[in-house]
Amino acid sequence: MAISLQCFLFLICISIFSSTMAATDPPLTLDYYKSTCPNVFDIVRKEMECHVLSDPRNAAFILRLHFHDCFVQGCDGSILLDDTIELQGEKKASTNGLNSLKGFRIIDKIKNKLESECPGIVSCADILTIAARDAVILVGGPYWHVPVGRKDSKTASYDLAMENIPSANEGLLSIIAKFLYQGLSVTDMVALSGAHTIGMARCESFRARIYGDFEATSGKNPISDSYLSELRSVCPAIIGSGDNNVTAMDNVTPNLFDNSFYHTLLRGEGLLNSDQELYSSLLGIETKSLVQKYAADPVAFFNQFSDSMVKLGNITNSDSFVNGEVRKNCRFVNT
C-alpha cells in the first residue's frame, strides 16, 4: 500500500514538476572551481569551523538555510536575498518562520573572504551548499561530495516559499507530495528529516503538538510526563505568549549529528507534529519502517542522508543557469 500511495502522489506532482524544474541533471561538477578558485572548499571549511566551534547551533542554522533555499526555485541562493523596493524576498514568509531563519551573516563573511581571494567567481548558492555539508561534518555528521557550478538567481519567490516549504503542523501526505514535487523520494524525506537531530524549534511551531496529541503518542510514563511539563514551561498554551521561545528538537544530543532523532520518534516524543507523523501516522507504513531502520542502524542513516543531501543540492531551475549571475553581495542582485 505504501508503494501505491507514493506512486499516486508522484502522478499528481509529476506534471507540475516536469514543467518547472530542470529536465536533465544540472551541469554541476566537483572541479568547477579548480582553475578559477582552487581554495574555495578550504576557505568555506575554515570559516565554518570558526562559527560552529563558537556556537554549535550555527550548524543547524546553515543546514536549514540550504534546505529552505533548495525548496524554492532550486538551490539558487534566492533565500539569501533581502527585500528591496523592486524585489520581495522569501525571508518573511511564515514557512520561513517570519524572519526566524538565521545564519545569513555567516554566509556574508564567507562571501567576503572568497571575494578577496577570487572576486566574482564563487556563487552564493554554491557557498551555502558547501557550508551546509561542512556544518554537518563539524557536529559529527557524515561527509559527502558537493558538486558545484550553481548560479545565483536574480529573483526570489515569496509565494513559492509559502507553497513549497513544509510546515511544522502539516500532515504526512502533504509533506510527501512536497518532497516528490522536488524530485525527492519518501526515503529522502525521512532521511533528510533526520537533520532535526540538531537545531532548535520555536514555541509557535510546536505549541499545537504539546497541547495536542503528545500524550497520546508518548504514552503516560514519568519520563515523558516530565519532558512534556518542561516543554509546556517553555511554551505557554496562549497564542502570542512566548512564541519565540525555543527548545531543542532532539533533547538528548542536541548539538551532535546522530540518529537520536529517530529514537525520539520511536518514544512518541517528536517535538513537531510533522516529525512525529513519520512514525505515528496510520498512513505512514513506509515512513514508519524507515524510522525504525535509521534508529537501529546509524550507518544506514548516515549513508542515506549523504545521498539525499546530494540530491537536494542538485535541485535546479534551468532559468538560474541561463539568466543567473554570481552575486557580489549575497543579499542583493548585482546592479
Side-chain angles (χ1 to χ4, degrees):
M1 178 175 289
I3 294 176
S4 299
L5 172 61
Q6 182 171 345
C7 290
F8 174 71
L9 288 168
F10 181 76
L11 290 173
I12 294 175
C13 297
I14 189 63
S15 62
I16 304 174
F17 171 78
S18 61
S19 66
T20 57
M21 307 303 288
T24 58
D25 290 337
L28 306 176
T29 63
L30 296 175
D31 61 354
Y32 184 84
Y33 296 114
K34 183 177 181 180
S35 61
T36 56
C37 194
N39 296 323
V40 57
F41 288 98
D42 290 336
I43 291 171
V44 175
R45 188 191 72 251
K46 289 176 182 176
E47 284 297 306
M48 285 305 300
E49 284 177 353
C50 292
H51 290 289
V52 174
L53 287 174
S54 66
D55 187 349
R57 293 178 301 173
N58 285 327
F61 295 155
I62 295 300
L63 186 55
R64 185 182 181 214
L65 270 186
H66 177 52
F67 178 89
H68 284 232
D69 182 38
C70 294
F71 260 55
V72 181
Q73 300 186 168
C75 310
D76 61 359
S78 61
I79 189 64
L80 304 173
L81 290 169
D82 283 349
D83 286 355
T84 66
I85 295 175
E86 299 177 345
L87 182 145
Q88 181 181 26
E90 300 161 12
K91 297 178 181 179
K92 294 180 180 178
S94 61
T95 49
N96 285 329
L98 296 174
N99 276 330
S100 73
L101 287 175
K102 298 180 180 180
F104 297 105
R105 291 182 181 178
I106 296 174
I107 300 301
D108 291 340
K109 290 180 180 179
I110 297 173
K111 179 61 173 175
N112 289 338
K113 289 277 187 180
L114 286 167
E115 284 298 299
S116 297
E117 177 86 7
C118 32
I121 299 297
V122 183
S123 68
C124 300
D126 274 345
I127 291 172
L128 181 54
T129 307
I130 299 168
R133 188 273 309 274
D134 292 344
V136 170
I137 294 172
L138 288 166
V139 287
Y143 173 91
W144 62 91
H145 293 296
V146 179
V148 288
R150 297 165 189 80
K151 297 299 182 184
D152 297 322
S153 68
K154 296 180 181 178
T155 63
S157 179
Y158 178 94
D159 291 339
L160 284 180
M162 293 293 293
E163 294 171 11
N164 290 3
I165 298 172
S167 65
N169 293 306
E170 201 158 348
L172 181 62
L173 297 187
S174 177
I175 295 175
I176 290 174
K178 289 184 176 182
F179 273 78
L180 291 176
Y181 173 78
Q182 302 294 346
L184 299 169
S185 68
V186 170
T187 299
D188 294 320
M189 180 190 72
V190 178
L192 292 172
S193 296
H196 287 172
T197 191
I198 56 174
M200 314 289 278
R202 297 165 66 235
C203 166
E204 187 177 41
S205 297
F206 62 85
R207 177 182 283 117
R209 165 79 173 132
I210 63 174
Y211 292 99
D213 67 350
F214 189 97
E215 288 178 297
T217 61
S218 63
K220 298 291 289 183
N221 66 79
I223 296 177
S224 292
D225 286 348
S226 175
Y227 179 43
L228 180 57
S229 296
E230 179 184 333
L231 291 174
R232 288 177 172 176
S233 69
V234 171
C235 183
I238 302 173
I239 295 175
S241 176
D243 283 0
N244 292 319
N245 294 347
V246 298
T247 193
M249 288 184 281
D250 172 3
N251 68 319
V252 180
T253 54
N255 294 322
L256 178 65
F257 195 99
D258 56 15
N259 68 335
S260 176
F261 167 78
Y262 299 104
H263 290 277
T264 300
L265 300 186
L266 294 183
R267 295 193 301 271
E269 296 178 355
L271 185 62
L272 306 181
N273 268 322
S274 55
D275 285 341
Q276 192 60 49
E277 283 266 295
L278 298 175
Y279 183 71
S280 299
S281 173
L282 295 176
L283 300 171
I285 299 173
E286 185 178 0
T287 59
K288 181 175 183 177
S289 176
L290 288 166
V291 168
Q292 293 169 327
K293 176 181 178 180
Y294 298 146
D297 189 347
V299 175
F301 165 50
F302 272 29
N303 288 339
Q304 185 58 56
F305 185 83
S306 298
D307 291 344
S308 297
M309 284 299 294
V310 173
K311 286 180 66 176
L312 175 70
N314 285 350
I315 297 173
T316 59
N317 184 327
S318 57
D319 181 67
S320 66
F321 288 97
V322 177
N323 300 312
E325 62 183 8
V326 174
R327 292 185 210 136
K328 297 177 182 179
N329 182 328
C330 291
R331 295 174 181 264
F332 303 102
V333 175
N334 293 340
T335 56

